[in-house]
Amino acid sequence: MNTMGHATTVLALDKVSYKYDGAKSYVLKQVDASFEAGKIYTIIGKSGSGKSTLLSLIAGLDTCKDGDIRYGEKSLNDIDRDDYRAKSIGVVFQSYNLLTNTTAVKNIVLSMNISKSTLADKKEHASALLEKVGIDQETAERQVLKLSGGEQQRVAIARALSHDPNIVIADEPTGNLDSETEEEILGILASLAHKEGKCVIIVTHSKRIATIADVIYGMNSGRLSQMRIK
């Protein structure tokens, strides 16, 4: 449940460096950043700049050994990262990562089961989330395999919201979509931050997406710096 108020720092990175086992050079170098509730952040960088590694660390998929990442007041190294992923953070993948042989609504219910949701009517909640991102009831009952790319991305966003996380990370969320659908997806993500008070972090190589951001970070050769919004 979202208990953190507006303008609260939900996530902070303190001198985070990272290199893969056996590698000589660092993929991330002394990264400092803070992320607040109610704002949209974009992290822009070319392929190989370190964006994906940073996303993995923020999402708790990998461990930070050099520097520190804090969620609220606690280091990610000191909390149950499975619990953090299941309840506090929602990730939207470019490739959607949905179960394609089942329906959109069942994808959401399954995610709620994984996060140990205690809601009595999970299907009703799933349908409401899907409606919020523009998926009607008929489409919600269709097999994911038969949905368009834009529809699948909407389902992926609804799934990321199924446990009401404080932080939503979107990895190249519009990379496979046409410009009209991209506009709609960005509108949904903007609404999550500005109307629902979530911290939304979009990882991308597209400067166009950065136009909706409150704060833009540039990632270059493992270093992160704040960019000026024009």
Side-chain angles (χ1 to χ4, degrees):
M1 200 69 177
N2 192 339
T3 55
M4 297 190 181
H6 187 79
T8 303
T9 297
V10 286
L11 197 71
L13 282 68
D14 183 20
K15 296 187 170 39
V16 172
S17 295
Y18 187 89
K19 66 176 176 179
Y20 291 101
D21 291 341
K24 287 181 181 176
S25 56
Y26 280 87
V27 186
L28 298 176
K29 301 163 187 170
Q30 299 279 303
V31 172
D32 289 313
S34 66
F35 302 94
E36 294 179 353
K39 287 187 179 177
I40 302 176
Y41 297 82
T42 54
I43 299 173
I44 300 178
K46 292 177 183 170
S47 182
S49 62
K51 301 191 311 290
S52 298
T53 305
L54 185 63
L55 184 144
S56 292
L57 291 173
I58 290 173
L61 297 166
D62 209 339
T63 315
C64 175
K65 295 168 188 164
D66 198 340
D68 194 23
I69 299 175
R70 289 185 308 283
Y71 171 66
E73 298 299 315
K74 294 179 179 175
S75 169
L76 289 194
N77 290 338
D78 297 335
I79 63 175
D80 181 335
R81 283 187 295 127
D82 289 337
D83 194 60
Y84 166 72
R85 284 197 303 274
K87 295 175 183 171
S88 303
I89 194 162
V91 182
V92 181
F93 299 94
Q94 182 183 0
S95 53
Y96 319 132
N97 284 22
L98 298 167
L99 297 172
T100 54
N101 60 347
T102 189
T103 64
V105 79
K106 281 181 182 169
N107 266 272
I108 314 297
V109 170
L110 180 64
S111 177
M112 291 168 72
N113 289 339
I114 289 167
S115 64
K116 298 182 173 64
S117 168
T118 54
L119 281 174
D121 195 336
K122 294 190 179 82
K123 189 176 177 183
E124 189 182 319
H125 182 66
S127 297
L129 280 173
L130 287 164
E131 199 174 313
K132 185 164 90 171
V133 297
I135 297 287
D136 61 32
Q137 209 153 359
E138 188 189 337
T139 310
E141 294 293 350
R142 279 165 60 198
Q143 244 191 343
V144 166
L145 201 59
K146 294 173 180 171
L147 302 181
S148 70
E151 287 167 338
Q152 288 191 43
Q153 190 59 290
R154 290 168 195 268
V155 176
I157 293 171
R159 183 188 56 185
L161 298 174
S162 64
H163 49 282
D164 196 18
N166 294 307
I167 303 165
V168 176
I169 294 182
D171 182 15
E172 297 284 5
T174 61
N176 300 324
L177 308 176
D178 61 64
S179 57
E180 189 182 335
T181 311
E182 175 182 67
E183 205 78 27
E184 290 165 2
I185 295 296
L186 292 178
I188 292 168
L189 292 170
S191 175
L192 291 175
H194 298 149
K195 291 183 182 170
E196 296 187 34
K198 297 189 185 300
C199 172
V200 177
I201 303 169
I202 303 173
V203 179
T204 183
H205 68 274
S206 165
K207 288 184 178 171
R208 200 164 97 77
I209 291 180
T211 56
I212 69 160
D214 298 304
V215 179
I216 303 170
Y217 283 113
M219 176 68 84
N220 192 359
S221 304
R223 297 192 185 277
L224 194 70
S225 57
Q226 194 167 329
M227 297 166 73
R228 202 172 289 165
I229 297 177
K230 289 178 182 175

